[in-house]
Amino acid sequence: MKKHFSMMMVGFMALSATVGYAFGSSKQNLTQVQAASAQQEKALEAEGPTGDGLNNILTMAVAWKQTAAEYKALYHQSFNMARKQVDLALANHRPGDKPLAVITDLDDTVLSPVNYWGYLINNNKDFFDDAIWDKWIPTYNMVATPGSLDFLNYCKEKGVEVFYVSSRDQGSKTYHYAKTQLKKLNFPYVDDNHLTILRDTSNKETRQNEIAQNYDVISYLGDNLNDFRRVYYVKDVNERAKLMEQDKDLYGTKFILMPNPTDGHWVRAIFGESEPPATDENRAKWKDAATRSAWKQ
């Protein structure tokens, strides 16, 4: 409806310009209106995928999340590594030591929002849409990621506490939405002591450090480097990669990383923000990022 209305406006403006010119309006006014019409048309072109959406740049990444056995296998691999760390910590735990715990992110770590991404594809959206996300969250259409429930229930069985630390903001009901979704999927340790939702920051380190004061944190689970350390929160692709390399020995042990090709702070390193607007300029930036290394004949 928005596009149809905009096209009607473009046509109306062009018609108005022609009529006005015929009745003595200046050539300058006609030029100004034509320029405005051109801007309107350019804005339409920047609205992204059209028609059947076959030109949606998100399609391949979302198709991978929806169908690839490899995508699911990476989750199992990550939770298998996390379980080994839990077993190792339990074997080395002694009376008087701090109680054991793991800290996990929510979205794309233990909860999968793949249904949301399918909605974007069906509605010709090729960038993360925060307004749609906020409307979608209360529908409780997330599912548990492969292996997440088995691993977290194993932690509970072994007496290892699970702390959920996530960054979300859907208004005053943000915490309620997150807690309800976890309960609907029967995750363990879903209570006010173990669930933290940060509405005004993506910096999880303060809360993580508070937990670590009272618990021996075995591993941190996330789909984003920022789920592990705030130092990764930088706006440069090369710097972010360099910082990761400095911690490479921690991946698979202290830091358990999940796959996510659609969103995260890796996007911020490209655009300077995690949720860039859907513009042709930003689509060009995607292409530039995808061709940083490219064969030239």
Side-chain angles (χ1 to χ4, degrees):
M1 178 64 72
K2 180 180 177 183
K3 285 190 177 181
H4 292 161
F5 176 76
S6 298
M7 289 299 292
M8 290 172 62
M9 287 299 296
V10 171
F12 175 77
M13 291 171 69
L15 177 62
S16 297
T18 303
V19 173
Y21 187 70
F23 281 90
S25 294
S26 69
K27 185 175 182 180
Q28 181 180 5
N29 289 340
L30 175 61
T31 301
Q32 291 174 341
V33 173
Q34 288 174 333
S37 298
Q39 289 179 342
Q40 287 282 339
E41 291 172 340
K42 185 176 181 180
L44 291 178
E45 293 172 358
E47 288 185 3
T50 57
D52 54 16
L54 295 181
N55 58 335
N56 193 325
I57 60 177
L58 267 178
T59 301
M60 186 175 292
V62 175
W64 191 70
K65 293 178 80 166
Q66 294 267 18
T67 67
E70 291 85 350
Y71 172 69
K72 298 176 177 63
L74 286 171
Y75 277 100
H76 288 301
Q77 177 175 272
S78 295
F79 288 118
N80 288 341
M81 289 187 291
R83 184 181 291 223
K84 287 184 178 180
Q85 295 306 306
V86 167
D87 289 342
L88 183 62
L90 287 168
N92 293 325
H93 197 251
R94 298 292 179 265
D97 290 348
K98 289 182 181 179
L100 299 173
V102 298
I103 298 177
T104 183
D105 172 52
L106 290 183
D107 305 328
D108 284 292
T109 300
V110 297
L111 297 176
S112 172
V114 68
N115 177 271
Y116 161 80
W117 292 99
Y119 179 91
L120 293 189
I121 297 294
N122 279 340
N123 287 272
N124 281 350
K125 302 292 184 180
D126 58 347
F127 282 74
F128 185 93
D129 191 302
D130 200 47
I132 294 175
W133 175 257
D134 290 346
K135 291 179 180 178
W136 180 81
I137 286 290
T139 67
Y140 304 118
N141 275 308
M142 289 203 181
V143 295
T145 56
S148 59
L149 275 170
D150 287 343
F151 170 69
L152 296 183
N153 282 324
Y154 180 77
C155 288
K156 184 175 183 180
E157 176 188 330
K158 297 296 182 179
V160 175
E161 295 191 42
V162 177
F163 289 89
Y164 306 93
V165 181
S166 183
S167 176
R168 283 187 181 184
D169 187 7
Q170 286 77 49
S172 60
K173 291 187 175 181
T174 301
Y175 186 87
H176 169 75
Y177 294 151
K179 189 174 184 179
T180 300
Q181 179 68 90
L182 288 167
K183 282 186 171 293
K184 282 180 175 290
L185 295 173
N186 297 313
F187 278 91
Y189 292 109
V190 182
D191 55 53
D192 293 347
N193 184 48
H194 292 87
L195 175 61
T196 300
I197 302 296
L198 306 169
R199 287 182 54 192
D200 57 353
T201 181
S202 62
N203 185 358
K204 302 178 180 181
E205 203 164 90
T206 300
R207 177 56 181 147
Q208 290 169 338
N209 289 342
E210 291 174 353
I211 296 168
Q213 289 179 1
N214 299 310
Y215 291 85
D216 180 3
V217 179
I218 301 169
S219 294
Y220 298 82
L221 283 62
D223 66 298
N224 190 342
L225 299 189
N226 192 50
D227 294 329
F228 308 134
R229 296 179 62 204
R230 187 61 172 181
V231 69
Y232 297 127
Y233 194 66
V234 296
K235 294 182 178 181
D236 182 83
V237 171
N238 294 329
E239 182 184 1
R240 196 165 182 263
K242 182 179 179 180
L243 290 167
M244 179 278 297
E245 289 290 345
Q246 292 173 0
D247 291 335
K248 62 183 180 182
D249 293 339
L250 298 177
Y251 288 92
T253 55
K254 199 70 174 179
F255 301 156
I256 306 297
L257 184 63
M258 312 297 170
N260 186 358
T262 53
D263 60 305
H265 287 133
W266 65 273
V267 177
R268 184 176 184 268
I270 297 171
F271 294 91
E273 55 185 315
S274 298
E275 298 170 10
T279 65
D280 285 343
E281 180 182 359
N282 283 336
R283 293 182 185 96
K285 286 184 179 180
W286 272 131
K287 182 178 179 181
D288 289 342
T291 55
R292 278 165 59 92
S293 175
W295 180 39
K296 296 179 181 179
Q297 296 191 58

